[in-house]
Amino acid sequence: MTPDSPAPNGTRSSARDRVAGALRDRILSGDLRPGDKLPTQHELADEFGTNRTAVRQALDVLRHEGLLTGTGRGAPPAVAERPPSHGRPRSEGVELSDRLYAAFHAEHVTIDVFSLTTETFNMALAPSVIAVSNHELSPRSITVRVLLPSIDANLALPRMEADEERDDPRPLERLRELTRTFAGALRSSLEALQIRELVPEVRVDIRTVPLTPTHKVYLLNGSEALYGYYKVVPHTVFHRGESMRIHDVMGLGALLFRQAAGPDGRGGQDAAFIEETRLWFDSLWTSISRPLELG
């Protein structure tokens, strides 16, 4: 089967994505260092057994990701200088969306999430889902694991602001409804990609643990970790037509701290953080987590 011939499931394998993926791996692994020039488009086309159009599109993808920089008309691009991962953190709405979009360029996308609900994750994921729907991105598989607070646990937060009302069940009832709503929307949006035959394999597992989260974590493709804190704030919410003053954990505008493997990370320190975070997530997943019932 040639790179652009129909795949067994009826989709088309993308020479652009194959070239982009190989070059991306060389850059992130350090085989290609900042400032190194890539081979010419003609040389890359020969290496990958494809045409220059696919190569040019692949280079455009890597420029969009900030991995390449142009070196003048007709000249091959060079590997871009990568900003250090310990630069100033960005807000979750910006950072998570950008990093998810980059992660979706991989052939096999894996994402682990620990958060209060999936509300922010759903919003940040939308550009990547749209790009897949428009055939701009074409991963072969997507695997998402999500850990959320147990909807049956007596969580510390959210709760009523007034101490004398702290046993009022309504804040947790509201959280349970939001949890099911956003988790159901997440599962539907991703599984629809497989139903529409845009991604051959999609798996979304959502489980719960009896913990009140004070932080959120995203692990992307096993090569980077995003970490942010929830702040406890009082505010007014509405539940079933009634207003309530509650103490809640808010993370929509949280700053995300990023650790990355490869040349844009801090070497062993970032690699160790990512590995320890993965082990921590797996320890919860395989011990005290239980499937979330959405019905």
Side-chain angles (χ1 to χ4, degrees):
M1 185 173 66
T2 64
D4 299 302
S5 63
N9 65 353
T11 62
R12 286 185 176 272
S13 59
S14 170
R16 177 204 67 183
D17 293 339
R18 185 167 57 87
V19 175
L23 295 177
R24 185 185 302 108
D25 288 344
R26 294 175 192 177
I27 294 171
L28 295 180
S29 68
D31 289 343
L32 288 171
R33 306 294 300 177
D36 287 351
K37 290 185 178 180
L38 268 64
T40 66
Q41 292 183 17
H42 179 76
E43 291 169 333
L44 289 172
D46 285 346
E47 176 184 352
F48 290 100
T50 188
N51 54 60
R52 292 179 63 183
T53 298
V55 170
R56 184 166 58 252
Q57 292 172 346
L59 297 179
D60 287 341
V61 168
L62 297 180
R63 285 192 186 96
H64 177 82
E65 296 178 25
L67 294 175
L68 295 179
T69 181
T71 57
R73 184 176 180 83
V79 178
E81 295 289 339
R82 300 289 286 161
S85 64
H86 53 280
R88 178 169 178 78
R90 298 189 298 169
S91 67
E92 181 177 20
V94 175
E95 180 79 338
L96 182 58
S97 181
D98 285 354
R99 300 316 306 160
L100 286 172
Y101 190 88
F104 263 66
H105 283 82
E107 182 177 7
H108 300 288
V109 179
T110 63
I111 304 171
D112 291 339
V113 179
F114 175 78
S115 61
L116 180 67
T117 70
T118 66
E119 179 181 9
T120 305
F121 182 47
N122 290 12
M123 292 187 293
L125 194 61
S128 298
V129 172
I130 292 171
V132 173
S133 299
N134 292 337
H135 303 281
E136 298 168 7
L137 299 173
S138 53
R140 299 291 297 165
S141 70
I142 300 172
T143 302
V144 175
R145 299 190 301 172
V146 180
L147 281 175
L148 302 172
S150 172
I151 59 175
D152 298 321
N154 186 23
L155 304 174
L157 293 164
R159 68 174 179 84
M160 299 295 283
E161 182 179 15
D163 286 340
E164 61 270 19
E165 298 178 294
R166 64 181 308 166
D167 294 328
D168 191 318
R170 291 179 297 163
L172 288 178
E173 289 174 357
R174 175 178 175 271
L175 176 62
R176 292 173 191 134
E177 293 180 6
L178 292 175
T179 296
R180 287 194 172 102
T181 297
F182 292 125
L186 171 68
R187 174 168 288 166
S188 297
S189 67
L190 288 174
E191 291 182 347
L193 298 177
Q194 183 173 14
I195 294 171
R196 296 164 59 197
E197 299 185 346
L198 294 166
V199 180
E201 182 180 351
V202 174
R203 180 171 181 176
V204 182
D205 287 337
I206 305 174
R207 300 179 70 88
T208 65
V209 288
L211 301 173
T212 304
T214 57
H215 65 279
K216 57 181 66 181
V217 173
Y218 304 93
L219 287 168
L220 310 182
N221 292 343
S223 62
E224 60 182 296
L226 304 172
Y227 187 102
Y229 293 100
Y230 285 111
K231 296 181 178 69
V232 179
V233 297
H235 70 132
T236 301
V237 298
F238 291 87
H239 176 60
R240 299 179 182 177
E242 296 181 334
S243 65
M244 300 183 292
R245 286 288 295 177
I246 68 172
H247 281 299
D248 205 357
V249 286
M250 302 292 288
L252 188 58
L255 295 179
L256 286 186
F257 298 85
R258 176 175 176 252
Q259 283 75 31
D264 62 335
R266 291 176 292 177
Q269 181 169 326
D270 277 16
F273 182 90
I274 294 168
E275 176 63 10
E276 285 299 307
T277 303
R278 183 190 66 80
L279 293 172
W280 165 81
F281 187 96
D282 286 346
S283 71
L284 292 177
W285 187 267
T286 59
S287 60
I288 61 173
S289 72
R290 297 292 181 268
L292 172 64
E293 299 294 337
L294 295 178

